mmCIF file of all heavy atoms in Angstrom:
data_model
loop_
_atom_site.group_PDB
_atom_site.id
_atom_site.type_symbol
_atom_site.label_atom_id
_atom_site.label_comp_id
_atom_site.label_asym_id
_atom_site.label_seq_id
_atom_site.Cartn_x
_atom_site.Cartn_y
_atom_site.Cartn_z
ATOM 1 N N LYS M 276 -10.357 6.163 12.729
ATOM 2 C CA LYS M 276 -11.446 7.193 13.094
ATOM 3 C C LYS M 276 -12.708 6.318 13.610
ATOM 4 O O LYS M 276 -13.009 5.229 13.198
ATOM 5 C CB LYS M 276 -11.868 8.087 11.837
ATOM 6 C CG LYS M 276 -11.345 9.495 11.964
ATOM 7 C CD LYS M 276 -12.040 10.311 10.825
ATOM 8 C CE LYS M 276 -11.022 11.178 10.159
ATOM 9 N NZ LYS M 276 -11.216 11.363 8.741
ATOM 10 N N GLU M 277 -13.459 7.060 14.562
ATOM 11 C CA GLU M 277 -14.592 6.431 15.110
ATOM 12 C C GLU M 277 -15.781 7.254 14.882
ATOM 13 O O GLU M 277 -15.720 8.540 14.892
ATOM 14 C CB GLU M 277 -14.465 6.371 16.662
ATOM 15 C CG GLU M 277 -13.419 5.378 17.139
ATOM 16 C CD GLU M 277 -14.020 4.318 17.934
ATOM 17 O OE1 GLU M 277 -14.726 4.445 18.869
ATOM 18 O OE2 GLU M 277 -13.743 3.151 17.580
ATOM 19 N N PHE M 278 -16.880 6.745 14.463
ATOM 20 C CA PHE M 278 -18.009 7.442 14.077
ATOM 21 C C PHE M 278 -19.147 6.970 15.007
ATOM 22 O O PHE M 278 -19.487 5.803 14.996
ATOM 23 C CB PHE M 278 -18.474 7.289 12.661
ATOM 24 C CG PHE M 278 -17.549 7.788 11.648
ATOM 25 C CD1 PHE M 278 -16.460 6.809 11.242
ATOM 26 C CD2 PHE M 278 -17.480 9.085 11.198
ATOM 27 C CE1 PHE M 278 -15.479 7.350 10.305
ATOM 28 C CE2 PHE M 278 -16.518 9.533 10.317
ATOM 29 C CZ PHE M 278 -15.487 8.729 9.796
ATOM 30 N N LEU M 279 -19.784 7.945 15.796
ATOM 31 C CA LEU M 279 -20.759 7.629 16.723
ATOM 32 C C LEU M 279 -22.109 8.080 16.233
ATOM 33 O O LEU M 279 -22.304 9.116 15.792
ATOM 34 C CB LEU M 279 -20.402 8.317 18.213
ATOM 35 C CG LEU M 279 -21.608 8.256 19.118
ATOM 36 C CD1 LEU M 279 -21.636 6.751 19.700
ATOM 37 C CD2 LEU M 279 -21.346 9.141 20.350
ATOM 38 N N PHE M 280 -23.004 7.117 16.256
ATOM 39 C CA PHE M 280 -24.427 7.491 15.906
ATOM 40 C C PHE M 280 -25.317 7.237 17.185
ATOM 41 O O PHE M 280 -25.394 6.187 17.608
ATOM 42 C CB PHE M 280 -24.933 6.599 14.717
ATOM 43 C CG PHE M 280 -24.145 6.961 13.447
ATOM 44 C CD1 PHE M 280 -23.042 6.278 13.138
ATOM 45 C CD2 PHE M 280 -24.575 7.947 12.539
ATOM 46 C CE1 PHE M 280 -22.289 6.444 12.016
ATOM 47 C CE2 PHE M 280 -23.986 8.203 11.300
ATOM 48 C CZ PHE M 280 -22.774 7.512 11.180
ATOM 49 N N LYS M 281 -25.943 8.371 17.549
ATOM 50 C CA LYS M 281 -26.781 8.317 18.765
ATOM 51 C C LYS M 281 -28.101 7.754 18.482
ATOM 52 O O LYS M 281 -28.519 7.654 17.399
ATOM 53 C CB LYS M 281 -26.969 9.630 19.412
ATOM 54 C CG LYS M 281 -25.497 10.202 19.832
ATOM 55 C CD LYS M 281 -25.723 11.691 20.507
ATOM 56 C CE LYS M 281 -24.378 12.203 20.864
ATOM 57 N NZ LYS M 281 -24.430 13.644 20.823
ATOM 58 N N GLU M 282 -28.807 7.283 19.601
ATOM 59 C CA GLU M 282 -30.081 6.798 19.437
ATOM 60 C C GLU M 282 -31.197 7.371 18.513
ATOM 61 O O GLU M 282 -31.688 6.813 17.661
ATOM 62 C CB GLU M 282 -30.725 6.522 20.884
ATOM 63 C CG GLU M 282 -32.009 5.799 20.821
ATOM 64 C CD GLU M 282 -32.623 5.446 22.144
ATOM 65 O OE1 GLU M 282 -32.030 5.965 23.200
ATOM 66 O OE2 GLU M 282 -33.643 4.872 22.236
ATOM 67 N N GLN M 283 -31.164 8.703 18.556
ATOM 68 C CA GLN M 283 -32.144 9.519 17.836
ATOM 69 C C GLN M 283 -31.802 9.506 16.392
ATOM 70 O O GLN M 283 -32.579 9.365 15.517
ATOM 71 C CB GLN M 283 -32.293 10.908 18.377
ATOM 72 C CG GLN M 283 -33.442 11.772 17.670
ATOM 73 C CD GLN M 283 -34.746 10.935 17.868
ATOM 74 O OE1 GLN M 283 -35.219 10.642 18.919
ATOM 75 N NE2 GLN M 283 -35.503 10.733 16.802
ATOM 76 N N GLU M 284 -30.463 9.495 15.931
ATOM 77 C CA GLU M 284 -29.965 9.437 14.725
ATOM 78 C C GLU M 284 -30.438 8.177 14.050
ATOM 79 O O GLU M 284 -30.716 8.051 12.854
ATOM 80 C CB GLU M 284 -28.478 9.809 14.647
ATOM 81 C CG GLU M 284 -28.005 11.122 15.005
ATOM 82 C CD GLU M 284 -26.513 11.263 15.078
ATOM 83 O OE1 GLU M 284 -25.961 10.900 16.151
ATOM 84 O OE2 GLU M 284 -25.982 11.704 14.022
ATOM 85 N N LEU M 285 -30.274 7.044 14.989
ATOM 86 C CA LEU M 285 -30.537 5.737 14.429
ATOM 87 C C LEU M 285 -32.006 5.575 14.213
ATOM 88 O O LEU M 285 -32.504 4.999 13.232
ATOM 89 C CB LEU M 285 -30.132 4.677 15.308
ATOM 90 C CG LEU M 285 -28.543 4.519 15.668
ATOM 91 C CD1 LEU M 285 -28.275 3.544 16.807
ATOM 92 C CD2 LEU M 285 -27.900 3.992 14.391
ATOM 93 N N ARG M 286 -32.812 6.113 15.066
ATOM 94 C CA ARG M 286 -34.304 6.137 14.957
ATOM 95 C C ARG M 286 -34.651 6.916 13.656
ATOM 96 O O ARG M 286 -35.624 6.507 12.924
ATOM 97 C CB ARG M 286 -35.002 6.793 16.153
ATOM 98 C CG ARG M 286 -34.871 5.928 17.307
ATOM 99 C CD ARG M 286 -35.866 6.299 18.473
ATOM 100 N NE ARG M 286 -35.821 5.439 19.600
ATOM 101 C CZ ARG M 286 -36.137 4.160 19.864
ATOM 102 N NH1 ARG M 286 -36.698 3.580 18.875
ATOM 103 N NH2 ARG M 286 -35.753 3.641 21.013
ATOM 104 N N ASP M 287 -33.954 8.012 13.408
ATOM 105 C CA ASP M 287 -34.277 8.844 12.148
ATOM 106 C C ASP M 287 -33.979 8.000 10.883
ATOM 107 O O ASP M 287 -34.734 8.125 9.907
ATOM 108 C CB ASP M 287 -33.378 10.231 12.137
ATOM 109 C CG ASP M 287 -33.786 11.139 13.087
ATOM 110 O OD1 ASP M 287 -35.000 10.938 13.609
ATOM 111 O OD2 ASP M 287 -33.055 12.071 13.443
ATOM 112 N N MET M 288 -32.818 7.223 10.917
ATOM 113 C CA MET M 288 -32.617 6.398 9.826
ATOM 114 C C MET M 288 -33.665 5.385 9.588
ATOM 115 O O MET M 288 -33.966 5.068 8.436
ATOM 116 C CB MET M 288 -31.353 5.547 10.042
ATOM 117 C CG MET M 288 -30.017 6.361 9.942
ATOM 118 S SD MET M 288 -28.523 5.317 10.295
ATOM 119 C CE MET M 288 -27.524 6.585 10.949
#
Side-chain angles (χ1 to χ4, degrees):
K276 253 187 225 144
E277 296 243 302
F278 296 92
L279 172 71
F280 294 88
K281 293 181 188 150
E282 186 175 358
Q283 192 52 51
E284 289 174 284
L285 295 171
R286 290 197 186 282
D287 290 346
M288 282 179 211

